[in-house]
Amino acid sequence: MKKVTKAVIPVAGFGSRMLPATKAIPKEMLPIIDKPIIQYIVEECAKAGITDIVMVTHTSKKAIENHFSQAKELEDSLSNKGKDALLKIVQNTKPKGVNISYVQQGEAKGLGHAVLCGKDIVGDEPFVVILPDVLIDESSASGDLDNLSTMVTNFERSNVSQIMVELVADKDVSKFGIADIKGIKLNAGDSAPLTRVVEKPAFEDAPSNLAIVGRYIFSPSIWALLAETKAGVGGEIQLTDAMDELIKTETMHAYYMTGKSHDCGNKQGYAKAVIAYANKHPELKGEL
Ligand code: UTP
């Protein structure tokens, strides 16, 4: 059994849909109340047993690295003032037992290219890819199914690459990559073989209402395919194009998530995420 312990998180994009907020602050550092988006993502990895995270980053995004590093002066100040609870929060931005390394993507050539930048650090092992602008809120789910952990367990049992999917409304189908699972009906937590991924189809042409929501586990075979992938839609090297090739040679599974995703990379999704998380924040719920 091959354990899944590594994750690649691409954070090198411009975040142009959230300008001017993202002119000097990385999109991934925008707060959802009092925690930056990227910290939720790193915590999600830790919960799923990931111990080594590779962030594919850019020189303009130093704030992400700072957030997960020690802040000696701030810690001393909080300690001297006896603010122990805050001190603990500041010391634990990076969960214990998780190692984060950084690799630069010199030029934002697309998501596929960004993931490929993690190859030398990850090596010949299966790995998770997380899109850091998508938050997965599992608290609204029935039961306590943990999506990423379940995907990791599924991979470790089957050695089959996985993508996470979520049911979206008819009107939203054309905004996402859509999974074709040949009409199989899934319940939350179930998986089915993926036969095709269709990028942003018109609703009439869509093979399902199952949108790909930014969580993947790949076998190392994806590396060679990514290296061969040419620029596609928008002139960018697309992860979906490499995935399409992978499906031709290896089985992949679509995992049907529980809970709700929030795409924080656009204004509406970000605003909805802030409201949802504020309403369950221990200091705020009931007050708003
Ligand atoms: P997005 O396309 O959502 O992010 O990519 P973006 O390019 O930053 O956003 P807009 O479109 O300009 O508003 C999903 C994730 O992939 C990363 C981004 O940082 C984002 O977290 N990414 C994208 C890279 O690391 N490198 C790239 O070349 C492209």
Side-chain angles (χ1 to χ4, degrees), residues 10-17 27-28 56 61 105 108-111 114 132-133:
V11 297
F14 287 118
S16 46
R17 283 166 294 165
K27 170 172 76 173
E28 298 78 8
V56 180
K61 297 207 150 181
Q105 184 189 21
K109 290 188 194 168
L111 181 58
D133 39 13

Side-chain angles (χ1 to χ4, degrees), residues 152-164:
V152 165
T153 308
N154 289 353
F155 184 96
E156 290 175 346
R157 281 204 195 115
S158 64
N159 223 22
V160 166
S161 295
Q162 321 260 320
I163 60 163
M164 187 148 92

Side-chain angles (χ1 to χ4, degrees), residues 112-180:
H113 178 258
V115 172
L116 186 60
C117 292
K119 178 174 183 267
D120 288 348
I121 302 184
V122 172
D124 191 26
E125 288 190 34
F127 62 101
V128 168
V129 171
I130 297 201
L131 299 199
D133 39 13
V134 180
L135 285 182
I136 306 292
D137 182 1
E138 284 158 353
S139 62
S140 59
S142 50
D144 55 359
L145 200 61
D146 173 353
N147 291 300
L148 194 60
S149 302
T150 309
M151 286 173 73
V152 165
T153 308
N154 289 353
F155 184 96
E156 290 175 346
R157 281 204 195 115
S158 64
N159 223 22
V160 166
S161 295
Q162 321 260 320
I163 60 163
M164 187 148 92
V165 296
E166 178 179 31
L167 199 64
V168 295
D170 296 354
K171 67 175 175 44
D172 292 329
V173 158
S174 61
K175 298 178 192 163
F176 294 94
I178 298 292
D180 188 350

